[in-house]
């Protein structure tokens, strides 16, 4: 195994040599609020990466990955972001479901699903939130009943990222009638291309539709597609959330730094930096970005020991709040001009898109309120919140 710097150089060289020709125009495409951009082309790019062995680099070699060390994975995600490579379309399969199946799946499940994730042949989405159970996953009402060799799923999921582009969804459903909270939940892998599934995109503040409603009307999946034991899906679902806050967030921070640098440069150009309050907020944003990195590096210690623990919520709540405040700072730096659309009917500037989409950062992947409860109860050992 090469050293971290040798690995970093290899990644950088490959990206420089391959983000050319037909792929050159993909630099900077996609991402939050821009998920509609060049989806087919970005999918082709990821399959090109996969053919060269650059998908799932942190997975063990026996599951199709490169077996990269934690430090090498950090280097990969940082170099990918520094190259301004396009937003990934396989993120949920590679970073969430894949590690979950490696940790909790059966040999048959790994053999069926992991190779297709590595090759970017099947795309995944996450079926957690519901209309009455946003970040409160233990309150889900979607149910699944066993019918011979199949599970029959009925219910509704909401805020399902990229469901309209996905082939499969991992669904948390209640499989024990009469059960409450986290008891009686199961973790099911459900194909979306079937008559019992309807997907309806949600138009966001940005005018785009990354999020969706997904309706299951007696949708079916094979009994072998249950991850973990029936009624014990809570542990599996929590592990998936931990993986969501794993090593790839280091690459996310490169994007954050690029945004902050651009906001700072804009403030210098338009004179906003002469305002001492703006200068103070920029300085605080820089300090916050350093704290985000330190939180992430601290959290990665738990990744090496397996699935990240509840401490990962500390990093999530901090970066989500920081990024939302960066969007507010960007609009204040823009001043009155920030109120004007770039074009009709609703063509947004990068700063407007940042401001609008970052409002969701403190909601998706576990709202700030839920993160505070996790930190209080599972990290600090405080009494649980009183529930009706």
């Amino acid at each position: 195994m090469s050293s971290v710097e040798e690995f970093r150089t290899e990644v950088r060289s490959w990206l420089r040599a391959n983000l050319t020709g037909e792929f050159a125009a993909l630099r900077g495409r996609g991402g939050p609020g821009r998920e509609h951009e060049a989806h087919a082309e970005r999918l082709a790019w990821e399959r090109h990466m996969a053919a060269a062995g650059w998908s799932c680099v942190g997975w063990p070699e026996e599951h199709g990955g490169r077996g990269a060390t934690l430090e090498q994975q950090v280097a990969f995600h940082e170099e990918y972001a520094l190259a301004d490579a396009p937003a990934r379309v396989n993120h949920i399969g590679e970073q969430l479901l894949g590690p979950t199946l490696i940790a909790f799946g059966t040999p048959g499940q790994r053999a069926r699903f992991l190779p297709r994730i590595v090759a970017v042949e099947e795309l995944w989405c996450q079926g957690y939130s519901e209309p009455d159970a946003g970040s409160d996953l233990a309150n889900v009402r979607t149910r699944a009943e066993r019918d011979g060799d199949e599970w029959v799923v009925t219910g509704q999921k909401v805020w399902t990222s990229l469901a309209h582009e996905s082939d499969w969804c991992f669904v948390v459903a209640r499989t024990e009638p009469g059960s409450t909270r986290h008891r009686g939940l199961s973790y099911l892998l459900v194909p979306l291309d079937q008559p019992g599934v309807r997907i309806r995109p949600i138009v966001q503040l940005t005018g785009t539709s990354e999020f969706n409603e997904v309706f299951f009307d007696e949708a079916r999946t094979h009994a072998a597609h249950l991850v973990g034991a029936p009624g014990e899906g809570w542990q599996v679902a929590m592990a998936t959330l931990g993986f969501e806050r794993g090593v790839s967030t280091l690459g996310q921070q490169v994007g954050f730094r690029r945004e902050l640098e651009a906001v700072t440069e804009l403030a210098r150009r338009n004179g906003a930096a002469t305002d001492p309050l703006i200068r103070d907020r920029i300085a605080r944003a820089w300090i916050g970005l350093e704290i985000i990195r330190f939180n992430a590096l601290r959290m990665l210690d738990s990744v090496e020991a397996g699935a990240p623990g509840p401490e990962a919520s500390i990093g999530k709540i901090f970066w989500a709040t920081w990024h939302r405040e960066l969007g507010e700072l960007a609009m204040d730096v823009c001043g009155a001009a920030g109120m004007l659309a770039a074009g009709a009917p609703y063509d947004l500037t990068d700063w407007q898109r940042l401001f609008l989409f970052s409002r969701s950062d403190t909601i998706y992947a576990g709202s700030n309120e839920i993160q505070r409860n996790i930190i209080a109860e599972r990290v600090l050992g405080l009494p649980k919140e009183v529930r009706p």
Side-chain angles (χ1 to χ4, degrees), residues 72-123:
Q72 289 172 330
Q73 293 175 59
V74 170
F76 173 83
H77 290 291
E78 288 182 338
E79 290 300 323
Y80 190 89
L82 287 168
D84 204 20
R88 306 289 297 275
V89 299
N90 195 32
H91 170 80
I92 295 177
E94 178 175 330
Q95 299 295 332
L96 278 69
L97 180 66
T100 301
L101 291 182
I102 291 171
F104 297 94
T106 65
Q109 290 168 348
R110 294 176 190 145
R112 164 61 182 84
F113 294 109
L114 295 186
R116 290 171 174 81
I117 295 174
V118 172
V120 201
E121 293 176 353
E122 292 178 340
L123 300 181

Coordinates of all heavy atoms in Angstrom, one line a residue, residues 72-123:
Q72 N -5.8 7.8 3.5 CA -5.9 7.8 2.0 C -7.3 8.2 1.6 O -7.5 8.9 0.6 CB -5.5 6.5 1.5 CG -4.0 6.2 1.6 CD -3.7 4.7 1.3 OE1 -4.5 3.8 1.4 NE2 -2.5 4.5 0.8
Q73 N -8.3 7.8 2.3 CA -9.7 8.2 1.9 C -9.9 9.7 2.0 O -10.5 10.3 1.2 CB -10.7 7.4 2.8 CG -10.8 5.9 2.5 CD -11.7 5.3 3.5 OE1 -12.9 5.6 3.6 NE2 -11.2 4.3 4.3
V74 N -9.3 10.2 3.1 CA -9.4 11.7 3.3 C -8.7 12.4 2.1 O -9.2 13.3 1.6 CB -8.7 12.1 4.6 CG1 -8.6 13.6 4.7 CG2 -9.5 11.6 5.8
A75 N -7.5 11.8 1.8 CA -6.8 12.4 0.6 C -7.6 12.4 -0.6 O -7.6 13.3 -1.4 CB -5.4 11.7 0.5
F76 N -8.3 11.2 -0.9 CA -9.1 11.1 -2.1 C -10.2 12.1 -2.1 O -10.3 12.8 -3.2 CB -9.7 9.7 -2.2 CG -10.6 9.5 -3.3 CD1 -10.2 9.3 -4.6 CD2 -12.0 9.7 -3.1 CE1 -11.1 9.1 -5.7 CE2 -12.9 9.5 -4.2 CZ -12.4 9.3 -5.4
H77 N -10.9 12.2 -1.1 CA -12.1 13.2 -1.1 C -11.6 14.6 -1.2 O -12.3 15.5 -1.8 CB -12.9 12.9 0.1 CG -13.7 11.6 0.1 ND1 -14.7 11.4 -0.8 CD2 -13.6 10.5 0.8 CE1 -15.2 10.2 -0.6 NE2 -14.5 9.6 0.3
E78 N -10.5 14.9 -0.5 CA -10.0 16.3 -0.6 C -9.5 16.6 -2.0 O -9.8 17.7 -2.6 CB -8.9 16.5 0.4 CG -9.3 16.5 1.8 CD -8.2 16.8 2.8 OE1 -7.0 16.5 2.5 OE2 -8.5 17.2 4.0
E79 N -8.8 15.7 -2.6 CA -8.3 15.9 -4.0 C -9.4 16.0 -5.0 O -9.4 16.8 -5.9 CB -7.3 14.9 -4.4 CG -6.0 14.9 -3.7 CD -5.2 16.2 -3.9 OE1 -5.3 16.8 -5.0 OE2 -4.6 16.7 -2.9
Y80 N -10.5 15.2 -4.8 CA -11.6 15.3 -5.7 C -12.3 16.6 -5.6 O -12.6 17.2 -6.6 CB -12.6 14.2 -5.3 CG -13.7 14.0 -6.3 CD1 -13.6 13.1 -7.4 CD2 -14.9 14.6 -6.2 CE1 -14.6 12.9 -8.3 CE2 -15.9 14.5 -7.1 CZ -15.7 13.6 -8.2 OH -16.7 13.4 -9.1
A81 N -12.4 17.1 -4.4 CA -13.0 18.5 -4.2 C -12.1 19.6 -4.8 O -12.6 20.5 -5.4 CB -13.4 18.7 -2.8
L82 N -10.8 19.5 -4.5 CA -9.9 20.5 -5.0 C -9.8 20.5 -6.5 O -9.6 21.6 -7.1 CB -8.5 20.2 -4.4 CG -8.3 20.5 -2.9 CD1 -7.0 19.9 -2.5 CD2 -8.3 22.0 -2.7
A83 N -10.1 19.4 -7.2 CA -10.1 19.4 -8.6 C -11.4 20.0 -9.2 O -11.5 20.1 -10.4 CB -9.9 17.9 -9.1
D84 N -12.3 20.3 -8.3 CA -13.6 20.8 -8.7 C -14.3 19.8 -9.6 O -15.1 20.2 -10.5 CB -13.5 22.2 -9.5 CG -14.8 23.0 -9.4 OD1 -15.6 22.7 -8.5 OD2 -14.9 23.9 -10.3
A85 N -14.1 18.5 -9.3 CA -14.8 17.5 -10.0 C -16.3 17.5 -9.7 O -16.7 18.0 -8.7 CB -14.2 16.1 -9.6
P86 N -17.1 16.9 -10.6 CA -18.6 17.1 -10.5 C -19.1 16.3 -9.3 O -18.5 15.4 -8.8 CB -19.1 16.4 -11.8 CG -18.0 15.5 -12.2 CD -16.7 16.2 -11.9
A87 N -20.2 16.8 -8.8 CA -20.9 16.2 -7.6 C -21.2 14.7 -8.0 O -21.6 14.4 -9.1 CB -22.2 16.9 -7.3
R88 N -21.0 13.9 -7.0 CA -21.2 12.4 -7.2 C -22.7 12.1 -7.3 O -23.5 12.6 -6.5 CB -20.6 11.7 -6.0 CG -19.1 12.0 -5.7 CD -18.2 11.5 -6.8 NE -18.2 10.0 -6.9 CZ -17.5 9.2 -6.1 NH1 -16.6 9.7 -5.2 NH2 -17.5 7.9 -6.3
V89 N -23.0 11.1 -8.1 CA -24.4 10.6 -8.2 C -24.5 9.3 -7.4 O -25.7 8.8 -7.2 CB -24.8 10.4 -9.7 CG1 -24.8 11.7 -10.4 CG2 -23.9 9.4 -10.4
N90 N -23.4 8.7 -7.1 CA -23.4 7.3 -6.4 C -23.2 7.5 -4.9 O -22.9 6.5 -4.3 CB -22.4 6.4 -7.1 CG -22.5 5.0 -6.8 OD1 -23.7 4.5 -6.6 ND2 -21.4 4.3 -6.7
H91 N -23.3 8.7 -4.4 CA -22.8 8.9 -3.0 C -23.6 8.0 -2.0 O -23.0 7.4 -1.1 CB -23.0 10.4 -2.7 CG -22.9 10.7 -1.2 ND1 -21.6 10.8 -0.6 CD2 -23.8 10.8 -0.2 CE1 -21.8 11.1 0.7 NE2 -23.1 11.1 0.9
I92 N -24.9 7.9 -2.2 CA -25.7 7.2 -1.2 C -25.4 5.8 -1.2 O -25.4 5.1 -0.2 CB -27.2 7.5 -1.4 CG1 -27.5 9.0 -1.2 CG2 -28.1 6.7 -0.5 CD1 -29.0 9.4 -1.5
G93 N -25.2 5.2 -2.4 CA -24.9 3.8 -2.4 C -23.5 3.5 -1.9 O -23.2 2.6 -1.1
E94 N -22.5 4.4 -2.3 CA -21.1 4.2 -1.9 C -20.8 4.5 -0.5 O -20.2 3.7 0.2 CB -20.2 5.0 -2.8 CG -18.8 4.9 -2.5 CD -17.9 5.7 -3.5 OE1 -18.3 5.8 -4.6 OE2 -16.8 6.1 -3.0
Q95 N -21.4 5.6 0.0 CA -21.0 6.0 1.3 C -22.0 5.6 2.4 O -21.6 5.6 3.6 CB -20.9 7.6 1.3 CG -19.9 8.1 0.4 CD -18.4 7.7 0.8 OE1 -18.2 7.5 2.0 NE2 -17.6 7.6 -0.2
L96 N -23.2 5.3 2.1 CA -24.2 4.9 3.1 C -24.6 3.4 3.1 O -24.3 2.7 4.0 CB -25.5 5.8 2.9 CG -25.5 7.2 3.5 CD1 -24.5 8.1 2.8 CD2 -26.9 7.8 3.5
L97 N -25.2 3.0 2.0 CA -25.7 1.6 2.0 C -24.5 0.6 1.9 O -24.5 -0.4 2.7 CB -26.6 1.4 0.8 CG -27.1 -0.1 0.8 CD1 -28.0 -0.4 2.0 CD2 -27.8 -0.4 -0.5
G98 N -23.5 0.9 1.1 CA -22.4 -0.1 0.9 C -21.8 -0.4 2.3 O -21.7 -1.6 2.7
P99 N -21.3 0.6 3.0 CA -20.7 0.3 4.3 C -21.7 -0.4 5.3 O -21.3 -1.2 6.1 CB -20.3 1.7 4.9 CG -20.1 2.5 3.6 CD -21.1 2.0 2.6
T100 N -23.0 -0.1 5.2 CA -24.0 -0.7 6.0 C -24.1 -2.2 5.7 O -24.1 -3.1 6.6 CB -25.3 -0.1 5.8 OG1 -25.3 1.3 6.2 CG2 -26.4 -0.7 6.7
L101 N -24.1 -2.6 4.4 CA -24.1 -4.0 4.0 C -22.8 -4.7 4.4 O -22.9 -5.9 4.8 CB -24.4 -4.1 2.5 CG -25.8 -3.7 2.1 CD1 -25.9 -3.9 0.6 CD2 -26.9 -4.4 2.8
I102 N -21.7 -4.0 4.3 CA -20.4 -4.6 4.7 C -20.5 -5.0 6.2 O -20.0 -6.0 6.6 CB -19.3 -3.7 4.4 CG1 -19.1 -3.7 2.8 CG2 -18.0 -4.2 5.0 CD1 -18.1 -2.6 2.4
A103 N -21.1 -4.1 7.0 CA -21.1 -4.3 8.4 C -22.2 -5.2 8.9 O -22.1 -6.0 9.8 CB -21.3 -2.9 9.1
F104 N -23.4 -5.2 8.2 CA -24.6 -5.9 8.7 C -25.2 -6.9 7.7 O -26.1 -7.6 8.1 CB -25.7 -4.9 9.1 CG -25.3 -4.0 10.3 CD1 -24.8 -2.7 10.0 CD2 -25.5 -4.4 11.6 CE1 -24.4 -1.9 11.1 CE2 -25.1 -3.5 12.6 CZ -24.6 -2.3 12.4
G105 N -24.8 -6.8 6.5 CA -25.5 -7.6 5.5 C -25.1 -9.1 5.5 O -24.0 -9.4 6.0
T106 N -25.9 -9.9 4.8 CA -25.5 -11.3 4.7 C -24.6 -11.5 3.5 O -24.5 -10.6 2.7 CB -26.8 -12.1 4.4 OG1 -27.4 -11.7 3.1 CG2 -27.8 -11.9 5.5
P107 N -23.9 -12.6 3.4 CA -23.1 -12.8 2.2 C -23.8 -12.7 0.9 O -23.3 -12.2 -0.1 CB -22.5 -14.3 2.5 CG -22.5 -14.4 4.0 CD -23.7 -13.7 4.4
G108 N -25.1 -13.2 0.9 CA -25.9 -13.1 -0.3 C -26.2 -11.7 -0.7 O -26.2 -11.3 -1.8
Q109 N -26.5 -10.8 0.3 CA -26.8 -9.4 0.1 C -25.6 -8.7 -0.4 O -25.6 -7.9 -1.4 CB -27.3 -8.7 1.4 CG -28.7 -9.2 1.8 CD -29.1 -8.8 3.2 OE1 -28.2 -8.3 3.9 NE2 -30.3 -8.9 3.5
R110 N -24.4 -9.0 0.1 CA -23.2 -8.4 -0.3 C -22.9 -8.8 -1.8 O -22.5 -7.9 -2.6 CB -22.0 -8.8 0.6 CG -22.1 -8.2 2.0 CD -21.0 -8.7 2.8 NE -21.2 -8.4 4.2 CZ -20.8 -9.2 5.3 NH1 -20.3 -10.4 5.0 NH2 -21.1 -8.9 6.5
A111 N -23.1 -10.1 -2.1 CA -22.8 -10.5 -3.4 C -23.7 -9.9 -4.4 O -23.4 -9.6 -5.6 CB -22.8 -12.1 -3.5
R112 N -25.0 -9.7 -4.1 CA -26.0 -9.2 -5.0 C -25.8 -7.7 -5.2 O -25.9 -7.2 -6.4 CB -27.4 -9.5 -4.4 CG -28.5 -8.6 -5.0 CD -28.7 -8.9 -6.5 NE -29.7 -8.0 -7.1 CZ -29.6 -6.8 -7.5 NH1 -28.4 -6.2 -7.4 NH2 -30.6 -6.1 -8.0
F113 N -25.6 -6.9 -4.1 CA -25.7 -5.5 -4.3 C -24.3 -4.7 -4.4 O -24.2 -3.7 -5.1 CB -26.5 -4.9 -3.1 CG -27.9 -5.3 -3.1 CD1 -28.4 -6.2 -2.2 CD2 -28.8 -4.8 -4.0 CE1 -29.7 -6.6 -2.1 CE2 -30.1 -5.2 -4.0 CZ -30.6 -6.1 -3.1
L114 N -23.3 -5.2 -3.7 CA -22.1 -4.4 -3.6 C -21.4 -4.3 -5.0 O -20.9 -3.2 -5.3 CB -21.1 -5.0 -2.6 CG -21.5 -5.0 -1.2 CD1 -20.4 -5.5 -0.2 CD2 -22.0 -3.6 -0.7
P115 N -21.3 -5.3 -5.8 CA -20.6 -5.2 -7.1 C -21.3 -4.1 -8.0 O -20.7 -3.4 -8.8 CB -20.7 -6.6 -7.8 CG -20.8 -7.5 -6.6 CD -21.6 -6.8 -5.6
R116 N -22.7 -4.0 -7.9 CA -23.4 -3.1 -8.7 C -23.2 -1.6 -8.2 O -23.3 -0.7 -9.0 CB -24.9 -3.5 -8.8 CG -25.1 -4.7 -9.6 CD -26.5 -5.2 -9.4 NE -26.8 -6.4 -10.3 CZ -26.5 -7.6 -10.0 NH1 -25.9 -7.9 -8.9 NH2 -26.8 -8.6 -10.9
I117 N -23.0 -1.5 -6.9 CA -22.7 -0.2 -6.4 C -21.3 0.3 -6.9 O -21.0 1.4 -7.3 CB -22.8 -0.1 -4.9 CG1 -24.2 -0.4 -4.4 CG2 -22.3 1.2 -4.3 CD1 -24.4 -0.5 -2.9
V118 N -20.3 -0.7 -6.8 CA -18.9 -0.4 -7.2 C -18.9 0.0 -8.7 O -18.2 1.0 -9.1 CB -18.0 -1.6 -7.0 CG1 -16.6 -1.3 -7.6 CG2 -17.9 -1.9 -5.5
A119 N -19.7 -0.7 -9.5 CA -19.7 -0.4 -10.9 C -20.6 0.8 -11.3 O -20.7 1.1 -12.5 CB -20.1 -1.6 -11.7
V120 N -21.3 1.3 -10.3 CA -22.3 2.4 -10.6 C -23.4 2.0 -11.5 O -23.8 2.7 -12.4 CB -21.6 3.7 -11.0 CG1 -22.5 4.9 -10.8 CG2 -20.3 3.9 -10.4
E121 N -23.8 0.8 -11.4 CA -24.9 0.2 -12.2 C -26.3 0.4 -11.6 O -27.3 0.4 -12.3 CB -24.6 -1.3 -12.5 CG -23.4 -1.6 -13.3 CD -23.1 -3.0 -13.5 OE1 -23.8 -3.8 -12.8 OE2 -22.2 -3.4 -14.2
E122 N -26.3 0.5 -10.3 CA -27.6 0.7 -9.6 C -27.4 1.9 -8.6 O -26.4 1.9 -7.8 CB -28.0 -0.5 -8.8 CG -28.4 -1.7 -9.7 CD -28.8 -2.9 -8.9 OE1 -28.4 -3.1 -7.8 OE2 -29.5 -3.8 -9.5
L123 N -28.3 2.8 -8.6 CA -28.3 4.0 -7.8 C -29.3 3.8 -6.6 O -30.4 3.2 -6.8 CB -28.6 5.3 -8.5 CG -27.6 5.6 -9.7 CD1 -28.0 6.9 -10.4 CD2 -26.2 5.6 -9.2

